[in-house]
Amino acid sequence: MVAHFIRSGWARFENETTSVTLLPGQVVFRDTTKPWRFWFGPATRSRTVVVPRDQLVRHAVVPGKLPQIVVTDTGLAEVRLLTGFLDLARRFADDALSPLGRSVSQDVGIQLLAAAMGAARTAEAGEHTNVVLAAARRFVDEHLADPNLAPALIAQELHISLRSLHRAFEDTDDSVMVYVRRQRLRRARVELLTPGARVAGVAARWRFSDTSHFIRHFKAAYGSTPTAFIEKESRRRRQDLSRA
């Protein structure tokens, strides 16, 4: 497999079934076991990386799934990670690393190339699901105040399908939006302990559609209404102060 990172000018690759033209900021990955015709425009500057095809298949790509050609943008995170790794690797002389170090760095480079191509071998189903679930929960926890927080947004930001997102939650007690609501209720419960907190304001801040909706879910989760919870906590604080 050969990767061409186009820095200036243009390049064109053709075979019997495919024709692509590359411009600055693009990269093409092509399988050289297939015959290609190619042209580079005047003053074209590019970076070329060659990876043994058998190494790529052995370590990173599902056999039989290696694409003939892939064109993508060098601004994508996976491609930027690959180019960053290549830049770092060039700083080391051939004898700077131990045999183990060279082997590990080669494997990392191959894995990054496969990811940049979008052809990386997927993890085992359970492992992949756990990774997706953890990432989704982290994203939700960091964006609870976002009024647009919904499965479609979460899937988009994690670069996964809606199906993958919902499947990750299947073995938990929550659906995606039940988890969102539960986390918002936890944040709201903490805020209700703030002196002067108003139920309506807290409900609105944590994106409940109306106060009655918030009260109903709060009571189901914690066994009392928000007002009763505030009063109970206030009494407890007064008692603690009187004992002190």
Side-chain angles (χ1 to χ4, degrees), residues 51 105 111 132 135 161 176 192-193 213 218:
V51 177
S105 63
Q111 294 284 351
V132 170
S161 67
V176 180
L192 287 172
L193 297 176
H213 181 72
F218 190 95

Side-chain angles (χ1 to χ4, degrees), residues 10-13 19-23 26 71:
W10 58 268
R12 185 173 183 82
F13 298 86
S19 176
V20 297
T21 298
L22 280 295
L23 298 175
Q26 291 185 301
V71 177

